[in-house]
Amino acid sequence: MPNDNVDRAIKRGTGQGKDGEQLDEITYEGYAPGGVAIMVETATDNRNRTGAEVRSIFTQNNATSLRVAAVSYMFHEKGRSPCRG
C-alpha cells in the first residue's frame, strides 16, 4: 500500500485535511415509562440523522423526548471516560 494512501487515511481519521470528519457530541434527554429520567450522550457526524434515530427509539419504547436541561439537573457526573477528552 502506498504511503500516500496511509497518510490520507490517518488524516481522515483524525479530522485533518479536506476529507476529515467533524464529530459533534449531543445529549438527548427524556423520560421512560414509569417516570425514569434518561440521558443519551452521542457522538455523530450527522446531527439530523442521529436526532431522528434517538426520537424513533424513544417513541418505539413509549418514552418521551424532551428539551435540553429537562432532566440533566438530576444527574451528577462522577467520572470522565478517557476517550471523551
Side-chain angles (χ1 to χ4, degrees):
M1 177 177 284
N3 284 338
D4 196 35
N5 290 356
V6 173
D7 291 338
R8 194 169 48 247
I10 291 171
K11 286 181 181 178
R12 189 176 332 124
T14 59
Q16 300 172 355
K18 64 180 181 179
D19 294 332
E21 293 186 18
Q22 178 66 32
L23 293 179
D24 296 322
E25 291 184 10
I26 308 168
T27 302
Y28 296 94
E29 303 179 19
Y31 285 104
V36 177
I38 299 175
M39 287 186 64
V40 179
E41 293 182 344
T42 63
T44 182
D45 63 338
N46 186 326
R47 290 175 158 260
N48 294 330
R49 181 184 66 229
T50 302
E53 288 288 327
V54 170
R55 281 189 298 279
S56 173
I57 292 168
F58 270 62
T59 302
Q60 290 172 5
N61 293 290
N62 298 322
T64 306
S65 179
L66 301 171
R67 67 188 187 288
V68 175
V71 298
S72 61
Y73 70 93
M74 294 183 221
F75 293 85
H76 300 284
E77 188 170 353
K78 298 294 183 185
R80 183 169 285 271
S81 172
C83 62
R84 288 193 58 195

